[in-house]
Amino acid sequence: MNYYSTNGHVQELSFKEAVLKGLPQDKGLFFPKEIPQLPDSFFEALPDLLLPQVAFQVLKPFVQPDLTEAQLQQICEDVFTFPIPLVEVEQGLYALELFHGPTCAFKDVGARFMSRCLQAFADPDKPVTVLVATSGDTGSAVANGFLGLENIDVVVLYPQGGVSEIQEVQFTTLGQNISAVAVEGTFDDCQALVKQAFSDGELNQVKNLSSANSINVARWLPQMVYYFYAWGQWKLRHPDQTGLTVSVPSGNFGNLAAGLVARQMGLPISYFIAATNRNKIVPDYLETGDYQPAPSVATIANAMDVGAPNNFPRIQHLFGNKLDALQQVVKGFWADDDQIKEIIQRVYEERDYLLDPHGAIGFLSLKKLMSGLGTQGIFLETAHPAKFKNSIEAVLGHEIAVPEQLQAFLGRQKQVTILPNDYKELALLLKQTHKEGTL
């Protein structure tokens, strides 16, 4: 499979080349040259397949010939080691729990897959520096996915004071080949700095940069897998049902873009909901046709505090930049902090199910829209509620349990470089030698 830039100004690259490059020089996004159709036999077998088996079949056409079948099989066995259960919250409405991985967030899937790909592709004589911006969970998933890998350094940029305490300790306390940089600005500022670094010819002559944000195809595409797996679990329970809507809590929109590619491959999902917080650029666009990125606004659902979503151009590209075609499949929804807090409390009291702030928006969107769409619904629970411990406890009025994966990070010493929102400062920092988790 080859990959081209959505801006169309650079030559096509192989999967390996696109992974190592991260971002095209023309500031577009890499996109697969073709989207293969999976056979009917795959969907007939899907409800009985194990997660690594689903991953192998779905990802195989996107990675060959750069990864052999044996290599891909091993990667899938190494990556998809944790459960992704479908849990019924109320009749006809399910949570897909994506928080059972090592950092308790959905990004464990893409980050772990990408780390194995880079490990397979990296040249021992040309160490790779993975540069990533995070609004919370990306940083922890990438840092832990790449921790200790030879010839790969990771630099995580995040907005100072803009992530939860537990999220921050998951990527600032690791050391080894992981560095954390707190930027005096917003997540959008961090994203802009990363993009500028990839387009800086001088920096790229001295640093072999790659990205681990969902702009990287090896981080983005594996997210398709759990949509197929979720449909298989749902189909086991409802073999005669056909209508299904999936609500995707969305910040940078890589997760939703992956689900829409899965649909293009034949996955029979009727509708998707782009569920956001007050950073409602995409829901507004779906309603008005006017796409206006804006400065991000801080909310209780901080991982979605994105005012200029990097991956939305992939979604537009997938639909030929035709708004009416997009509107037929994707519905917009947004909720403010008061609505998020209210639904967390209500679902906990009535259903004994604890939502995280992002999953709460997904749940609420299905409650508001599902009956009008005439389908059953699945929402993505993208992170464990304990990653937002202070916010959740303030809503419920009592403490919540912290899983073992997160407890392991508490009390560790942070190692952070604080940087102004200034690209020259970042470029200078990146050129310095990277040792033991410090730049």
Side-chain angles (χ1 to χ4, degrees):
M1 176 74 76
N2 279 353
Y3 292 78
Y4 62 91
S5 171
T6 53
N7 282 350
H9 301 309
V10 296
Q11 67 179 17
E12 292 180 6
L13 299 180
S14 68
F15 176 71
K16 175 181 177 179
E17 291 169 329
V19 171
L20 291 172
K21 188 73 174 172
L23 194 68
Q25 285 293 114
D26 66 358
K27 298 184 180 181
L29 296 167
F30 284 119
F31 201 86
K33 189 174 181 180
E34 41 188 300
I35 297 177
Q37 294 294 298
L38 292 169
D40 291 343
S41 58
F42 170 75
F43 292 101
E44 291 167 2
L46 185 53
D48 298 315
L49 294 180
L50 299 176
L51 186 55
Q53 294 173 318
V54 177
F56 176 79
Q57 294 295 335
V58 168
L59 294 172
K60 182 168 64 173
F62 293 96
V63 304
Q64 290 183 330
D66 296 299
L67 291 176
T68 66
E69 289 196 3
Q71 285 177 308
L72 178 61
Q73 187 75 57
Q74 187 61 57
I75 288 173
C76 292
E77 294 287 347
D78 289 345
V79 168
F80 294 93
T81 57
F82 49 89
I84 301 180
L86 190 68
V87 177
E88 189 169 29
V89 179
E90 61 180 59
Q91 186 174 3
L93 202 160
Y94 296 84
L96 184 67
E97 293 186 346
L98 295 167
F99 53 71
H100 294 282
T103 72
C104 299
F106 80 98
K107 295 176 182 180
D108 282 325
V109 170
R112 283 157 63 87
F113 187 86
M114 183 189 168
S115 71
R116 272 60 173 186
C117 290
L118 266 183
Q119 192 173 33
F121 296 154
D123 183 342
D125 296 324
K126 291 182 64 179
V128 174
T129 297
V130 174
L131 184 60
V132 60
T134 185
S135 57
D137 289 326
T138 291
S140 56
V142 169
N144 285 271
F146 283 82
L147 182 64
L149 295 187
E150 293 185 4
N151 296 310
I152 301 175
D153 293 328
V154 177
V155 180
V156 181
L157 273 64
Y158 69 104
Q160 187 178 19
V163 302
S164 76
E165 178 68 17
I166 290 180
Q167 287 173 322
E168 187 177 25
V169 297
Q170 283 188 296
F171 60 83
T172 61
T173 63
L174 298 172
Q176 297 187 55
N177 59 325
I178 310 299
S179 292
V181 178
V183 175
E184 295 173 335
T186 66
F187 171 67
D188 293 327
D189 295 325
C190 296
Q191 281 200 138
L193 290 171
V194 169
K195 284 186 174 182
Q196 195 167 351
F198 278 99
S199 62
D200 183 340
E202 180 184 350
L203 177 63
N204 281 266
Q205 284 182 352
V206 297
K207 278 287 185 181
N208 190 18
L209 294 181
S210 186
S211 171
N213 280 95
S214 52
I215 53 177
N216 192 300
V217 292
R219 249 275 334 259
W220 170 51
L221 290 173
Q223 296 172 130
M224 293 188 296
V225 172
Y226 45 72
Y227 290 98
F228 288 96
Y229 188 65
W231 183 86
Q233 291 183 73
W234 176 77
K235 201 66 177 172
L236 272 177
R237 305 181 194 196
H238 304 281
D240 300 321
Q241 187 87 20
T242 56
L244 183 63
T245 296
V246 177
S247 178
V248 186
S250 300
N252 239 344
F253 281 81
N255 207 358
L256 178 57
L260 290 167
V261 172
R263 187 178 187 274
Q264 288 285 97
M265 295 176 72
L267 183 63
I269 293 176
S270 304
Y271 304 102
F272 283 88
I273 299 175
T276 75
N277 55 26
R278 288 177 56 209
N279 297 279
K280 56 189 182 72
I281 289 82
V282 171
D284 283 350
Y285 169 67
L286 290 169
E287 182 179 351
T288 68
D290 187 22
Y291 186 66
Q292 290 291 337
S296 59
V297 178
T299 75
I300 189 176
N302 67 276
M304 292 156 52
D305 292 348
V306 183
N310 262 344
N311 269 287
F312 191 64
R314 276 190 173 125
I315 295 175
Q316 292 175 303
H317 189 77
L318 188 64
F319 285 88
N321 292 301
K322 295 178 180 177
L323 175 61
D324 56 344
L326 179 60
Q327 290 170 324
Q328 294 299 311
V329 177
V330 180
K331 311 302 176 183
F333 179 86
W334 70 278
D336 62 25
D337 280 4
D338 288 341
Q339 292 172 296
I340 296 168
K341 294 173 183 177
E342 191 275 332
I343 201 67
I344 289 173
Q345 186 170 34
R346 181 153 62 88
V347 171
Y348 183 73
E349 292 173 352
E350 295 178 1
R351 302 289 174 180
D352 195 28
Y353 188 87
L354 186 55
L355 298 163
D356 92 283
H358 309 80
I361 300 175
F363 176 90
L364 187 58
S365 73
L366 287 173
K367 292 291 288 182
K368 297 288 187 181
L369 301 179
M370 197 168 69
S371 60
L373 298 174
T375 70
Q376 292 195 9
I378 295 173
F379 67 96
L380 305 190
E381 258 295 338
T382 55
H384 195 286
K387 297 195 82 168
F388 314 95
K389 189 173 186 292
N390 293 341
S391 297
I392 297 293
E393 289 177 351
V395 171
L396 300 182
H398 60 77
E399 289 191 5
I400 61 172
V402 177
E404 290 182 10
Q405 301 103 301
L406 298 181
Q407 288 181 13
F409 292 94
L410 300 178
R412 291 186 183 180
Q413 183 67 37
K414 297 178 188 176
Q415 302 174 53
V416 183
T417 300
I418 299 174
L419 202 70
N421 180 23
D422 185 321
Y423 177 70
K424 290 182 180 179
E425 294 280 350
L426 175 64
L428 182 63
L429 203 65
L430 290 173
K431 291 174 184 177
Q432 296 175 12
T433 303
H434 189 173
K435 293 180 181 178
E436 293 301 315
T438 58
L439 284 162

